[in-house]
Amino acid sequence: MPCVIVDCAIYRNGRRTEGPADFSDALDEARAVGDSFLWVGLHEPTEEEFDLITSEFTLHPLAVEDALKAHQRPKLELYNGSLFVVLKPVTYDDEADTVTTGELMLFVGDSFVVTVRHGEGSPLAQVRQRLELEPEVLRHGPASVLYAVCDAVVDQYTEVATELQLDLEELEAEVFAPMGGDNRTIASRIYSFKRQVLEFRRASAPLAEPMSRLAGVGVPFVPERSQPFFRDVSDHLMRANESVEGLDRLLSDILSAHLAQMGVQQNDDMRKISAWAAMAAVPTMIAGIYGMNFTHMWELRQPWGYPAAVLVMAGLVFWLHRLFKRRGWL
């Protein structure tokens, strides 16, 4: 069991204190002393490793199953004796242009918080360190941990949305540049970018409803004095979701513009091909006629016949070239 425990501590009056090693004794001590709660942090526990947590904190089996299997949508569930929240932290690798999501589960109850982390990119370590430097926040109990974690995850959404916006502006400039890059790679990059935005939306969009509920009334273990803080997180989340939706719309518009550019380029290429084919057809036609070798072609017996035919062919090709050039076909 100790291999999956990231951290475990009792917080009394906003200050970290050392408590009993046994979870049951530590929880009893936190409940016996006012203004205290127990915070246990776990990383990818197995079912056997989580059994002790389940029995000591009386967690609902359905919530435990979700916490162990992961791959859940962001949500808020109410169970007897605990509040179960699922969050999906997001990170963005600017070099690889990939969005990566993790999973973060919180069990909030009477004088305890249990956090379960899956994957990378979780802000839990930074959140705990920051809260321990702000005892006036930790005095609000388990709800303060829930708020701080939600706020950190939503802040990550805002940062990733800003980075995606910058990369999208670079892609947009490349698409609309006078001398654009390889059209084949641009199309694949747009589709890849759209997949990353979709991955981001799967993490951020479903969280709007849980944040709205936490900002309202009637949620156990979330005191009324904490609601304004969750409203602030909900407002930040709304702005992040609006940014993601804007990115998705812009990507669709850029893709449509790129496809239109491809169509225009293809039409321009076809006009050039047609113009060159027309210029090649004129001398071919004249040469073909002379190649028929009719007897009654008086110019065949004239010394200037061959040069005259060549000059006519060259003149007609030159005239066609000027005509197509004037009309923008060449």
Side-chain angles (χ1 to χ4, degrees):
M1 186 69 186
C3 61
V4 299
I5 300 178
V6 179
D7 202 347
C8 177
I10 296 177
Y11 294 89
R12 181 176 296 116
N13 196 27
R15 302 286 183 180
R16 180 182 180 122
T17 61
E18 296 300 327
D22 183 77
F23 291 135
S24 180
D25 295 339
L27 183 59
D28 290 340
E29 180 178 327
R31 286 173 173 169
V33 181
D35 297 326
S36 300
F37 69 93
L38 176 66
W39 183 357
V40 180
L42 308 174
H43 178 234
E44 297 183 356
T46 63
E47 184 175 354
E48 293 76 14
E49 292 168 334
F50 204 67
D51 282 342
L52 180 59
I53 295 289
T54 303
S55 59
E56 294 295 347
F57 293 89
T58 319
L59 303 179
H60 197 280
L62 291 178
V64 171
E65 181 181 359
D66 289 343
L68 292 175
K69 291 184 176 180
H71 304 293
Q72 304 294 319
R73 297 175 72 251
K75 62 180 180 178
L76 169 64
E77 299 287 350
L78 303 178
Y79 296 101
N80 291 333
S82 65
L83 183 69
F84 181 60
V85 180
V86 178
L87 305 171
K88 294 183 77 70
V90 170
T91 57
Y92 182 60
D93 186 346
D94 188 56
E95 295 184 358
D97 293 334
T98 55
V99 171
T100 305
T101 59
E103 290 198 46
L104 185 56
M105 289 81 168
L106 295 94
F107 295 88
V108 180
D110 180 20
S111 301
F112 73 85
V113 177
V114 177
T115 55
V116 182
R117 175 170 62 89
H118 292 268
E120 302 299 327
S122 170
L124 276 179
Q126 296 86 345
V127 169
R128 189 186 285 262
Q129 292 172 4
R130 187 176 72 249
L131 284 177
E132 289 180 353
L133 296 176
E134 300 176 352
E136 67 279 1
V137 177
L138 278 174
R139 290 192 184 99
H140 293 278
S144 64
V145 177
L146 177 59
Y147 156 72
V149 173
C150 292
D151 185 56
V153 170
V154 172
D155 284 345
Q156 281 186 330
Y157 292 166
T158 303
E159 293 172 1
V160 172
T162 301
E163 294 178 1
L164 287 173
Q165 180 66 44
L166 293 175
D167 286 352
L168 180 59
E169 290 175 358
E170 295 178 1
L171 180 60
E172 185 179 17
E174 184 176 349
V175 170
F176 293 104
M179 298 295 292
D182 189 348
N183 288 328
R184 294 168 296 180
T185 61
I186 288 179
S188 63
R189 287 174 58 194
I190 293 174
Y191 276 113
S192 177
F193 207 120
K194 201 168 181 66
R195 284 197 299 268
Q196 305 311 315
V197 172
L198 177 60
E199 183 72 14
F200 190 178
R201 291 186 66 179
R202 288 174 178 169
S204 65
L207 188 58
E209 190 269 340
M211 285 297 101
S212 178
R213 291 177 60 187
L214 288 171
V217 296
V219 179
F221 312 112
V222 179
E224 185 177 351
R225 64 179 181 272
S226 301
Q227 292 168 7
F229 298 96
F230 286 105
R231 282 198 293 269
D232 182 66
V233 175
S234 180
D235 180 63
H236 292 171
L237 177 62
M238 184 181 302
R239 280 183 279 177
N241 284 333
E242 289 174 353
S243 297
V244 175
E245 292 175 3
L247 289 172
D248 189 58
R249 288 194 298 269
L250 278 175
L251 277 170
S252 298
D253 293 341
I254 291 174
L255 180 59
S256 299
H258 175 65
L259 295 177
Q261 285 181 331
M262 292 283 290
V264 171
Q265 182 64 43
Q266 289 175 350
N267 290 336
D268 188 52
D269 292 341
M270 287 302 299
R271 285 186 300 183
K272 291 180 179 180
I273 293 172
S274 300
W276 286 110
M279 288 187 291
V282 170
T284 302
M285 179 188 67
I286 296 175
I289 293 174
Y290 273 82
M292 297 172 70
N293 293 322
F294 287 112
T295 301
H296 303 290
M297 296 179 70
W298 63 270
E299 65 271 19
L300 293 178
R301 294 187 293 272
Q302 301 297 328
W304 48 264
Y306 178 75
V310 173
L311 286 174
V312 169
M313 288 189 285
L316 288 174
V317 170
F318 178 75
W319 176 77
L320 287 173
H321 185 274
R322 291 292 301 273
L323 177 65
F324 292 140
K325 193 76 172 179
R326 190 180 302 115
R327 294 186 177 182
W329 285 36
L330 292 174

